[in-house]
Structure formats: C-alpha cells, structure tokens
Amino acid sequence: MRGARRHGVLPGFGPALGVTLLYVGLLVLVPLAALFVKTAGLSPAEFFRIVTAPRALAAYRLSFGAALAAALLNAVFGLLLAWVLARYRFPGRAFVDALVDLPFALPTAVAGLTLTAVYSANGWLGRFLVPLGLKVAFAPAGVVLALTFVGLPFVVRTVQPVLEDLDAELEEAAAVLGASRLQTFIRVVFPNLLPPLLTGFTLAFARALGEYGSIVFISGNMPFRTEIAPLLIVTKLEQYDTAGATAIALVLLVTSFVLVFTINVLQRWTRRRAGASTVIGRGFRLAPALADAPALRRGLVAAAFLFLALFLFVPLAAVFVQALAKRPAAYLAAITQPAALSAIRLTLLTAAIAVPLHLVFGVLAAWLIAKFRFRGKGLLVSLIDLPFAVSPVIAGLVFVLLFGRQGFLGPFLAAHDWKIIFAVPGIVLATVFVTFPFVAREVLAVLEAQGNEEEEAALTLGAGGWQTFFRVTLPKARWGILYGVVLCNARAMGEFGAVSVVSGHIRGVTNTLPLHVEILYNEYDFTGAFAVASLLTFLALVTLAARKLEEARVRTA
Amino acid sequence: MSVVVTDLRRRFTEDGPPAVAGVSFTAPTGAITGILGPSGAGKSTVLRLIAGLEEPDAGRVLLHGDDVTDMPVQKRGVGFVFQGYALFGHLSVRENVIFGLRVRRVPRKEAATRADELLHRVQLDGFGDRRPSELSGGQRQRVAFARALAVNPRVLLLDEPFGALDAGVRLELGEWLLRLHHETGLTTLLVTHDQPEAFALAEHLVVLLDGKVAQAGTPAELREHPADGRLEAFLRVVSRRPRHLA
Ligand SMILES: Nc1ncnc2c1ncn2[C@@H]1O[C@H](COP(=O)(O)OP(=O)(O)OP(=O)(O)O)[C@@H](O)[C@H]1O
Ligand SMILES: [Mg+2]
C-alpha cells in the first residue's frame, strides 16, 4: 500500500503497470529487438557495404528529400489551414474541418490509387499539368504529392488547438503597445505557434519517411529514380535477401527512434510554452478593431481551399466517380466476386481481433500513464508511439524475422506445422503492431485533459479502485474511447505495407481489401479497384463522422 | 479636461439590451477616476472603447482634447493593464517591458536601459531576465504596469488590475498604485467592482448600471447623496464595511 502511495492516491498501480509492460514488451519490443539481433549477424563491413550501396543511397536520398519537401509543404499550408479554421467563419468551414483528418482514416492504398488516377497523363488534373511539363505520377513529384497527402493533418491538428487557446488579450496587449498586425503576428502569435508547428512538422516527416502504400501506386518504382527506402526493403525481401532488407530497415528504424524522441521533447516544450502565457480567464475573442482585413481573410481562405482541392477534394471525388463510372451492375459485380468477398471477410476478422485487444490494453495503458507518477513514464509513452513512426514495411519485416521459414522461431513452427507468415496469424500480428498507439493515445489525451478530481471525490465517497475506474473514469472518457476505437479500426482495415509483407498475396486466402485493390490495379481492372477502394473510402468517412460526433459530445458535456 | 467620452454606445447582440447605452463622463487630468458597477454593467466595454479595442456604434472619445474615435488602437498611445496580465510568456520580463519600444524601433540598448529604470520603479530590480511564469501574481501585475508605462502613455487604463489577487496583496498593491500615481501624475481610469477599493483609491467616481452612468462625483458626494434607491442599495454595502478599508 505504502509503495503504491508514492505513485498517486488511486489504487491498482502494480497490476496496471505489469500488464502494460507485458503488452508493450511482447507486441513492440520483442519484434523490434529481432531486427537488431538479425543485423548483429552481419559483420560491420558487410553491414556498411549494404547500407551504403549506390542503390540504397539513391533510395535514402529520395525518401529523406521527398519526406522533407512534403513536411515543409505541410508546415506552410498546415499553418495556413490552422489559422483559417481557428480564426475565420466562412461557408463550408465545418466540412473542411472534418475533411482535414481524411488522410488519417483513408487507407494509403486508396490514396495512392486515386492520386495516381487524378495526376496521371489523362487524369482530371494530370491532363493540364503534363502538357506544361509537370509530370507528377510516376515521377519524384508524385512521391512528394503522396507524402504531402499522408502528412496533411499533422501540422493543422497540432497548431489549431494552440491557436484557439491563445488568449485574445495577448494580441490586444500588443496592439495597445503600438504593434501592427504583422508585428503582432511575428512577435507574439508566431512564437507561441512555433513549438506545435515543429511538432507537427516532425510528425509529418516521420510519417512520410515510412510511408509505403500510396507510393507503390504513384511512384512507378524505378530503381535509382523513384524507389523509396521502404520499397527497397520489400524488393530485397522478395529476392530472399533478408540480411540486406534488415540492414536497410535498421537505418530507417534508428531514424524513427530519433524522431519519436524529438517529438516527445517538442510536445513537452509545447505544453510548457502554452502554460507560460500568463493570462487568466476568457478564451479567444479578438476585438473587432483587430480582426484581419476582409481582403486578407478572403485571400487566405481561397489559398486554403485551393490547397485542399488539389490534395484532398479532387482525389476524394475521383474515388466515387471512377467507381461508379460504369454501370451499377459492374460495381456490384466487382465487390461481390469471390476474391473480393474473401478479402472483406479477412479484413473484418483482422479488425475484430486487433481492435478489442487495443481497446482493453490501450485504455489500461492510458489510465496508467494519466493517473500515476512513476519513473520511465516518458519512455513508456515513446514506446507506445513508436509503431506509429516505424515504417509499416518494417512492421511486417520484424514478424518475418521472428516467424518466417528462416526466422528465429521458423524451425519450431515448421516442426509443429504451424503457419504464421503467409497466413492469417501473421496478418493479424502485423496489423496489431501498426495500430498499437491509436486507442491509448486518444484516451490518454482525454484523461489528461480531465484531471483527477472526480476520481478523488469517488475515493472519498468510499469507492474502491475498480469501482472508481468503471463508474467514473470510463464514463468520462467514453467519447475519446469511441474515437480511438473507430480510428484504430480504420487503420486496421486499411493497413497496406505491413500486411503486404507478411501476406504472400494468396488470392482468396491471405488478401485483405487494400491488397485486393493493388491486385486489381495491377491487372488493369480499374473499375474493380475503384469499387473496392470506394468501400474503404466510405469506412474512412464514417470514421470522420465519429470524430465530429465525439467533438460535439465533448463540447456539450 | 482629459478623458472625455460623449454618448458612447455599443451593442453585441441584435435583440438583448446594449452593453453600453449612451455613456458620457469626464475623467479629470492627473487624477485617478474609478469606474464602478456590478458585473455586466459595461465597465470593461467602456474602457475597451476608450482604448480602441472595440469600435463604438455611436459616440466620441477625446483624449486631452484630441478626438481619437477614428484612430486605430496602435496610434492612441494609451497604457492598458489587463485583468489577466496578458504578459508574453515566450519573452523575458525585460523583453516584455520594452515590447512597445521595440515595435517603435527604439534601439535595443536604449530600450534596455529604460526597462531597468521601469523595473526599478515597480520594485522589480534584478527580475529582468526571469520569465513571467517564474513570478508571483503581484509581481506579474507590476510587470504589466511597467510594460504599459514604458511607452509614455497619455492615459493609463486599468481593467480590474488587482482582480486576480488575494485580499492582502490587493491592499498592498493599492497603496503602491497610489504612490506610483503620485510620481507619474498620469490620468488614470481604474475599473473595479470592489467598492472599498474604488473609494480608497479614486478621487473621482463614475458608477455604471446597465450600460448607463448612474451617478458621477467625488467619493464623498456619492456617499452623502446617492442619486436614487438602486444606487443607494448598491453603495450601501460599502458603508457597512470596516472603516479602515474605506
Ligand atoms: N465581445 C462580446 N460579445 C458579446 N457580448 C459581450 C462582449 N463583451 C461584453 N459583452 C456583454 O456586454 C455586457 C457588459 O460587459 P462588460 O464586460 O463590459 O461588463 P463589466 O461591467 O466589465 O462586468 P465584470 O465586472 O463582470 O467584468 C455583458 O452583458 C457582456 O456579456
Ligand atoms: Mg469587466
């Protein structure tokens, strides 16, 4: 009892910590450790030769360069979008606000498919760009485009809340002291936005660096020209060069570690700075005398819409238009053929295992982190975040290293005739890995925002630890839990890279919906590919609707 | 004459009553004028209209005889102290104080010297390199005063400057404000809903009720001859307070 006291007044610290460590250890640490162990089998000279081969260097150059370009684009336009959404009221604002999250929820294979269709030589936008000499699809520009798409929400979603919470009195104080609007922005507003801007930038960069699904479609995958590092890993794996794949993967993984660590430091900085502005009282309400000039406002809103149109609206519309371009009968046929039905079944099964698992353990982990003080908490949070920054390809690779025929447990599994890789268990494991952070992250954010007072009140009223958890904490966090679950589900159903590596693409057996999209696309069955993609897009839109619902509930609570 | 407002009007909602419904008064040069009234009476709105943070629907604002009604807030040269301090958290105390000088392109050296004088005046010598978050509430409030004084304002507008502080510190800062006012002689408008504080600090009082001036005059006049019953009820609370506060 006394030991637990040190960590906080709520009971249940010991069991919660034990279970969470087991969960993180088995599902994140052990698989990633396999990568290090495997690389240790290489001599330093061999390792160095592999990771500095010309083809590898070209792949890093494209991966890092394109991810950096995409993250910079997102920093500029993310700041613009955050400003426009936080400060202005205009027709379509709620719609834009909801759609910004689409890249979180839309399977990357669908994003790749539709961006390729829109920007290829005869696509809606490509037909205007290509004659101007702007080749996007099947060129490095396409890689930047797709990476910008997948990273689009990060800067907006880190900057916007800080901007909304920034007190109007700060800007008023600057104005009274004689600062112009521009001076106020540069000297007062921007310094407050810098920490979340850098956080969002790093998140977008980390996400872009590992991205695989959308790039497979749009880049054309030409070695030395449009081959990104995750793709090189897959290529080596397909050529049975496991050691080569592992070495390249290690380079990316170490980068991910560094990025996750940086993100956590930046997030702490954001919180400190947000706490430092010494304003008490009313929320955002800028004096009308200080509002932006109408011309500036209209210009910024127009720029935001233009950016979103190019990167979001047009590709989204293209999915449905292409899917329904032929007769409805063709659409129905495409989604009811046996291979499609089996893909739907496998996708649902995978989500049905991954989501409840994360629901239970993610909520527990969030509770542990929000309610107790203990050493190594920052490290635990980083470990939970890690699968988010690790390339999905690496997520698949680590399970191949553990359970594949040449893997650590390969002989044991073969002896018992158990199959994990190129079978359903491998797909489930890879999906569990990549969807690891979502429930825990969402619930943690809600719990941290709410504080401990209500739990403490329950304790003084005689409630026990579990009673407090079930009667107070869980109901308080229910909308956060709902969104975490819905997002986790969207990711589970939409995962491409990790599943692709472990699946073996056995039609009717180990194909999920996103993999099925790729197969149809490679067979030039575009109507079929878009029909299946439209199912996944619908799922993404439902996910966004759930977020809106959560926000509405939180506001009225 | 110093701060003169004539028939100021401002409404925030189409239906509902206006926040400020025709307010006129004169705040004499070099004096502290207290603006008093219950919550929602329109005190802050009047002060923000004078500063230029709100635009009036009608009425004029004159500072030392200049009509500043159509002048943007940046040009009015007023010092404003916000109830919530509104210190810039990413800047040090010194950088906060010289903010108004830096945006006027005063060289950093010169501005820093001025900052140290001001910090001395508000009794915060040696605090220049701290962050606002490392100061107590009372210290933060004095930094806010120093920042407002740095630009040599024509008038000082204080919106519940001690509102967020506890009683002991309020009393102390009240006395400090009187001394500061003695030294600077700045025309000052002090908004407060704390009647003893208003009666103790102000030489002249304006009482607002429902967006209108209910009565204006010296503390003695208001105490002896409250204009009507409602005002008497509002002010009666004061006379029941212990003598030493008033
Ligand atoms: N920006 C605004 N939008 C809408 N209503 C406002 C706004 N500012 C003030 N009001 C309303 O105008 C009225 C007067 O507000 P004001 O802040 O001037 O009162 P106050 O006398 O300063 O009150 P308090 O002592 O509580 O600070 C209130 O009813 C308030 O709700
Ligand atoms: Mg007020």
Side-chain angles (χ1 to χ4, degrees):
Chain A
M1 196 69 219
R2 187 167 312 146
R5 272 294 134 89
R6 275 186 293 122
H7 305 288
V9 290
L10 295 171
F13 172 72
L17 181 67
V19 173
T20 301
L21 287 182
L22 196 68
Y23 169 64
V24 175
L26 278 183
L27 290 174
V28 177
L29 278 185
V30 170
L32 290 180
L35 196 69
F36 285 93
V37 174
K38 179 78 186 175
T39 321
L42 289 171
S43 77
E46 262 177 315
F47 175 79
F48 194 71
R49 188 183 51 76
I50 295 171
V51 300
T52 59
R55 185 167 169 186
L57 291 181
Y60 306 141
R61 208 173 302 128
L62 178 63
S63 271
F64 280 85
L68 194 66
L72 283 173
L73 263 176
N74 275 324
V76 173
F77 286 97
L79 183 62
L80 171 73
L81 273 168
W83 180 268
V84 163
L85 287 173
R87 289 293 166 94
Y88 306 149
R89 296 293 170 266
F90 52 91
R93 185 186 162 280
F95 174 74
V96 169
D97 196 29
L99 269 199
V100 160
D101 283 329
L102 183 71
F104 277 157
L106 190 73
T108 55
V110 177
L113 176 73
T114 183
L115 286 171
T116 310
V118 168
Y119 284 90
S120 63
N122 51 7
W124 288 356
L125 296 173
R127 77 177 60 156
F128 301 111
L129 296 174
V130 171
L132 297 174
L134 285 170
K135 192 162 149 48
V136 178
F138 314 120
V143 177
V144 176
L145 172 76
L147 296 183
T148 307
F149 178 89
V150 297
L152 193 143
F154 292 106
V155 171
V156 185
R157 290 305 181 226
T158 49
V159 172
Q160 189 183 351
V162 175
L163 197 49
E164 277 166 357
D165 286 348
L166 194 67
D167 205 285
E169 277 191 358
L170 288 177
E171 284 165 75
E172 292 175 358
V176 173
L177 291 166
S180 68
R181 278 305 281 156
L182 186 64
Q183 283 176 319
T184 304
F185 181 80
I186 293 171
R187 288 170 178 267
V188 175
V189 179
F190 190 75
N192 281 287
L193 301 185
L194 188 61
L197 186 65
L198 285 176
T199 308
F201 172 84
T202 315
L203 280 165
F205 181 72
R207 178 78 178 78
L209 201 56
E211 173 58 13
Y212 175 73
S214 57
I215 305 299
V216 171
F217 287 84
I218 204 166
S219 83
N221 309 325
M222 294 160 273
F224 291 100
R225 235 176 73 68
T226 59
E227 184 180 59
I228 53 166
L231 184 67
L232 183 58
I233 296 173
V234 174
T235 308
K236 285 188 179 291
L237 209 54
E238 279 170 356
Q239 294 163 349
Y240 301 103
D241 179 8
T242 315
T246 310
I248 307 271
L250 192 69
V251 174
L252 282 190
L253 183 63
V254 170
T255 317
S256 301
F257 279 129
V258 173
L259 289 173
V260 166
F261 180 74
T262 311
I263 289 163
N264 276 301
V265 170
L266 287 171
Q267 278 171 339
R268 244 171 292 158
W269 185 30
T270 306
R271 270 197 293 274
R272 249 204 332 275
R273 179 149 286 185
S277 36
T278 57
V279 175
I280 305 164
R282 59 167 188 247
F284 182 76
R285 179 173 69 95
L286 200 59
L290 297 177
D292 295 334
L296 176 66
R297 202 169 60 221
R298 275 195 294 273
L300 292 180
V301 171
F305 266 102
L306 183 67
F307 173 74
L308 286 178
L310 292 178
F311 284 83
L312 216 60
F313 298 155
V314 173
L316 180 63
V319 175
F320 292 103
V321 172
Q322 300 272 8
L324 298 169
K326 300 266 168 61
R327 291 162 296 116
Y331 180 82
L332 268 184
I335 58 176
T336 53
Q337 54 163 271
L341 287 179
S342 121
I344 292 175
R345 256 195 310 275
L346 181 56
T347 300
L348 291 177
L349 173 72
T350 309
I353 297 172
V355 174
L357 190 72
H358 287 318
L359 171 61
V360 173
F361 292 103
V363 170
L364 188 71
W367 190 62
L368 175 77
I369 292 166
K371 301 295 178 196
F372 298 100
R373 289 184 304 275
F374 55 94
R375 279 178 57 183
K377 188 153 133 177
L379 186 66
L380 184 62
V381 174
S382 293
L383 283 178
I384 290 176
D385 284 345
L386 194 58
F388 174 79
V390 170
S391 174
V393 166
I394 296 177
L397 173 65
V398 293
F399 290 106
V400 172
L401 293 179
L402 278 177
F403 303 118
R405 203 164 342 143
Q406 318 291 325
F408 298 110
L409 295 176
F412 173 80
L413 293 171
H416 291 79
D417 207 17
W418 289 337
K419 222 163 151 37
I420 292 183
I421 299 306
F422 304 148
V424 174
I427 291 178
V428 172
L429 274 175
T431 304
V432 165
F433 183 95
V434 293
T435 53
F436 202 86
F438 296 103
V439 175
R441 261 291 163 189
E442 286 296 325
V443 178
L444 179 60
V446 173
L447 291 184
E448 279 185 338
Q450 285 172 338
N452 278 344
E453 263 183 17
E454 291 168 52
E455 275 85 352
E456 287 168 4
L459 290 181
T460 65
L461 293 169
W466 289 116
Q467 284 176 314
T468 307
F469 179 73
F470 282 109
R471 285 169 181 269
V472 180
T473 308
L474 266 192
K476 268 203 316 190
R478 66 182 181 280
W479 294 106
I481 295 173
L482 173 72
Y483 182 62
V485 162
V486 172
L487 191 59
C488 179
N489 180 60
R491 278 309 182 82
M493 292 193 176
E495 177 50 30
F496 183 85
V499 170
S500 172
V501 169
V502 296
S503 115
H505 304 273
I506 308 164
R507 228 177 206 222
V509 182
T510 60
N511 256 345
T512 61
L513 278 177
L515 297 182
H516 193 54
V517 171
E518 190 200 14
I519 291 184
L520 293 173
Y521 176 78
N522 286 342
E523 289 170 351
Y524 301 102
D525 178 0
F526 296 126
T527 309
F530 275 102
V532 176
S534 73
L535 287 184
L536 289 166
T537 308
F538 186 68
L539 172 74
L541 293 176
V542 170
T543 306
L544 298 189
R547 149 136 276 175
K548 279 281 138 193
L549 186 70
E550 182 218 345
E551 278 177 3
R553 291 299 170 134
V554 170
R555 252 201 305 278
T556 54
Chain B
M1 15 187 269
S2 186
V3 177
V4 178
V5 300
T6 51
D7 200 30
L8 275 182
R9 290 167 192 275
R10 176 76 165 103
R11 64 186 319 147
F12 291 105
T13 49
E14 290 295 318
D15 25 359
V20 176
V23 166
S24 308
F25 64 81
T26 298
T29 309
I32 297 182
T33 299
I35 300 181
L36 196 57
S39 188
K43 307 182 294 292
S44 295
T45 307
V46 166
L47 209 65
R48 292 165 60 82
L49 284 165
I50 295 171
L53 287 169
E54 300 282 349
E55 281 163 357
D57 301 329
R60 313 303 301 174
V61 177
L62 278 72
L63 300 183
H64 301 290
D66 297 342
D67 188 333
V68 296
T69 317
D70 300 317
M71 194 184 270
V73 50
Q74 285 90 352
K75 299 270 159 60
R76 291 199 190 184
V78 298
F80 201 108
V81 175
F82 295 83
Q83 176 172 356
Y85 317 127
L87 296 182
F88 306 124
H90 64 286
L91 299 178
S92 70
V93 165
R94 181 176 295 108
E95 287 166 318
N96 263 280
V97 172
I98 63 175
F99 185 92
L101 301 174
R102 295 293 295 155
V103 299
R104 285 177 177 74
R105 314 209 183 286
V106 174
R108 183 178 288 278
K109 259 263 179 62
E110 196 183 320
T113 315
R114 177 100 175 97
D116 288 335
E117 281 167 34
L118 282 157
L119 286 175
H120 176 70
R121 166 163 282 169
V122 299
Q123 300 165 0
L124 285 174
D125 298 275
F127 283 80
D129 293 321
R130 293 222 199 164
R131 292 276 162 155
S133 56
E134 296 165 348
L135 302 181
S136 73
Q139 290 169 333
R140 288 177 196 181
Q141 194 54 281
R142 281 182 278 150
V143 175
F145 269 95
R147 184 176 71 178
L149 292 172
V151 294
N152 288 322
R154 294 200 275 185
V155 296
L156 198 53
L157 306 175
L158 314 175
D159 190 359
E160 311 250 11
F162 312 132
L165 302 171
D166 62 56
V169 183
R170 290 180 77 114
L171 217 58
E172 205 177 291
L173 277 179
E175 284 167 18
W176 172 81
L177 176 63
L178 278 182
R179 279 201 304 279
L180 186 78
H181 180 251
H182 214 76
E183 290 168 26
T184 61
L186 266 175
T187 307
T188 301
L189 265 66
L190 169 71
V191 163
T192 176
H193 62 256
D194 182 334
Q195 296 120 3
E197 190 171 275
F199 277 77
L201 298 178
E203 297 145 64
H204 188 79
L205 287 172
V206 177
V207 184
L208 293 183
L209 284 179
D210 299 332
K212 294 195 192 73
V213 177
Q215 195 175 5
T218 64
E221 282 167 4
L222 261 70
R223 223 185 325 246
E224 305 302 316
H225 310 287
D228 64 22
R230 233 188 116 193
L231 193 60
E232 200 182 340
F234 174 67
L235 292 175
R236 192 174 325 122
V237 192
V238 182
S239 40
R240 288 219 214 97
R241 294 271 174 101
R243 267 282 153 214
H244 71 270
L245 271 174

